[in-house]
Amino acid sequence: MSGTPSRWVKVWDAPTRLFHWSLVLLVAGAYATAELGLIDWHFRVGYAILALLLFRLAWGFLGSDTARFARFLASPLEALRHLAHFTRRGPDTEIGHNAAGGWMVLVMLALLLFQAGSGLFSNDEVMAEGPLAKFVGSAWSDRISGWHVFNFNLILALVGLHVLAVLAYAAVKRHDLVRPMVTGMKRLPAGLPAPRMASAALAAGLFLAAAAIAWVIATRL
Ligand code: HEM
Ligand code: HEM
């Protein structure tokens, strides 16, 4: 890297970073509240996660360049090629998610969405049931509760892989991915174009709309 001219570039906007670190805290919270039997709080945390995910879906179409699905979803072949060159050292030239990481992000978002969605139809075999359970009847609610429990194991496995991958980038390639997810800034070779950042007001509006949808599901159905 030393010989290559480089500059600091903003790669992650604040909404995406806030989304990520809130998600980390809330997923831990969902697990803890479920394990501790704090079902009311589990529901609240679940609705917050649902709002975050709905926001992230919209941000994937309307947000900053690096948050857009169309920008970071490369062909599966491209993803394999990226992994094949994993041990190659060199400066970090990724402006957003890399070709393999993009797919992992998509799968992670899909599993989390399934988790929050299935929770809405689940019951705890005692008193509590999600707000949509009444629409499907108890046999289906029990079945979906089983999926809700099982799917969380998939999420845990993927999160484990995700954190291992981040550590591997640091250990093998000496690329620090965590700092950009915290500060937004990354040192990239000069000459690489800076991504376009969407407005914070748009993010706030989309988040309010997402939160309103989660609120309606939680309290009005
Ligand atoms: C419950 C735990 C976690 C979940 C569900 C999760 C989920 C995600 C998701 C969905 C993204 C994509 C961000 C976006 O485009 O919106 C992401 C990216 C990222 N996460 Fe996590 N994450 C978790 C824990 C962590 C932890 C503990 C770390 C720190 C070691 C971490 C570091 C990162 C980094 C550095 C990126 C950006 C990767 C890149 O440069 O392409 N994550 N994570
Ligand atoms: C992404 C968000 C969510 C996560 C990560 C999550 C995670 C979990 C976990 C780990 C369990 C315990 C599984 C076990 O017994 O081992 C659980 C149980 C449960 N969750 Fe969620 N949950 C989420 C969203 C929701 C939502 C939105 C609702 C309802 C509004 C909900 C309702 C329930 C119920 C009723 C149970 C008890 C199911 C049973 O024990 O059979 N969850 N959840």
Side-chain angles (χ1 to χ4, degrees):
M1 182 84 168
S2 47
T4 327
S6 60
R7 63 176 178 137
W8 287 100
V9 175
K10 184 166 179 184
V11 292
W12 301 116
D13 57 26
T16 304
R17 287 178 281 139
L18 268 174
F19 161 79
H20 181 265
W21 297 113
S22 318
L23 186 68
V24 175
L25 290 179
L26 287 169
V27 169
Y31 175 70
T33 50
E35 290 303 313
L36 295 170
L38 302 170
I39 199 73
D40 291 351
W41 278 100
H42 183 72
F43 279 26
R44 287 181 194 124
V45 171
Y47 298 137
I49 294 177
L50 182 65
L52 277 181
L53 292 170
L54 292 176
F55 160 76
R56 183 64 185 87
L57 281 187
W59 204 234
F61 293 100
L62 304 171
S64 307
D65 281 351
T66 48
R68 290 197 182 208
F69 301 125
R71 251 301 272 260
F72 68 71
L73 288 179
S75 75
L77 203 67
E78 188 72 29
L80 290 176
R81 205 174 293 139
H82 176 86
L83 291 178
H85 295 155
F86 184 74
T87 52
R88 192 183 283 173
R89 292 269 180 96
D92 192 346
T93 57
E94 296 292 348
I95 297 172
H97 297 301
N98 66 56
W103 285 102
M104 176 135 138
V105 170
L106 196 74
V107 174
M108 188 115 76
L109 291 177
L111 288 181
L112 286 164
L113 210 57
F114 183 80
Q115 188 70 15
S118 60
L120 301 174
F121 295 91
S122 295
N123 71 81
D124 68 352
E125 292 168 351
V126 192
M127 310 243 314
E129 59 174 30
L132 306 186
K134 57 180 175 284
F135 298 118
V136 294
S138 67
W140 268 101
S141 175
D142 288 349
R143 203 169 290 151
I144 297 172
S145 306
W147 298 344
H148 188 69
V149 172
F150 177 75
N151 189 59
F152 190 70
N153 296 317
L154 299 183
I155 292 176
L156 277 185
L158 205 67
V159 166
L161 194 68
H162 171 56
V163 173
L164 274 181
V166 171
L167 293 177
Y169 274 94
V172 178
K173 291 170 95 73
R174 307 258 177 262
H175 293 177
D176 180 0
L177 305 184
V178 177
R179 193 173 140 143
M181 230 339 142
V182 175
T183 65
M185 307 298 285
K186 197 180 211 182
R187 209 168 173 85
L188 289 170
L192 282 183
R196 192 194 51 85
M197 293 287 137
S199 92
L202 176 64
L206 291 173
F207 183 74
L208 281 181
I213 293 173
W215 180 79
V216 168
I217 294 174
T219 62
R220 289 286 175 265
L221 294 183

